[in-house]
Amino acid sequence: MGNYIAESLNTLNEANKMPYPSFPEAMGILGMYTGTVSTGSFTGTGAALDVTLAFNPVAVMIINPTNAQALIQTKSMTAKASFKIAAAIAMATEGITLGVNKFSVSTDNTNGNGNTIHYIAIGQG
C-alpha cells in the first residue's frame, strides 16, 4: 500500500509542479504521531460514499493519481470544506466529512468515477 501512496504523491508533485512533501517526508511526519494510522484504497464513484474505519478519524487525505488531485480534511475544519491540492491549491466545497468510525467523500471530482483513490486516515492516540 505504501508504494501506491508514494507514487500518488509523486504524481501530484510532477503534475502540479508544486513543492509537496515527498512520501518519506510525509511518513516522517506521521512517524512522530502516536495515534492510529490506516491506509487503503477504494474505487471512486463520482457520487458520495462512506469509507469505514476501526477508529474515529481526526484527519484524512485522499489521493487520486488519475487526475492528480488530493483532498485533506482535519477535525478542526468545517465538514466538506477540505483543502484541495490540484493545479491550484484551493478549498473544496464538496470534500470530506469525518464521522464515527468512518469518513465520507462527497461529489468532488477527486472522487472520480472508476478511479482508484488512495487514503491515509489518522485517529487520536
Side-chain angles (χ1 to χ4, degrees):
M1 177 52 59
N3 281 343
Y4 296 120
I5 294 170
E7 291 168 11
S8 297
L9 284 172
N10 290 336
T11 298
L12 286 171
N13 288 343
E14 293 169 14
N16 298 315
K17 307 294 186 224
M18 303 195 75
Y20 305 125
S22 67
F23 183 70
E25 290 169 329
M27 290 297 99
I29 293 167
L30 288 176
M32 295 182 291
Y33 185 73
T34 59
T36 304
V37 177
S38 176
T39 61
S41 299
F42 59 91
T43 300
T45 62
L49 61 88
D50 292 340
V51 176
T52 303
L53 302 168
F55 57 90
N56 296 336
V58 296
V60 170
M61 176 179 186
I62 66 170
I63 304 164
N64 182 337
T66 301
N67 64 11
Q69 294 184 10
L71 290 174
I72 300 170
Q73 181 75 33
T74 67
K75 186 170 115 175
S76 63
M77 298 167 71
T78 303
K80 295 186 184 180
S82 304
F83 185 69
K84 184 171 186 169
I85 303 170
I89 295 176
M91 297 304 290
T93 57
E94 290 295 325
I96 301 169
T97 301
L98 304 180
V100 176
N101 291 338
K102 71 175 184 176
F103 64 92
S104 301
V105 181
S106 194
T107 57
D108 183 87
N109 61 358
T110 305
N111 177 18
N113 189 23
N115 297 160
T116 299
I117 315 295
H118 306 292
Y119 70 84
I120 302 170
I122 301 170
Q124 286 185 301

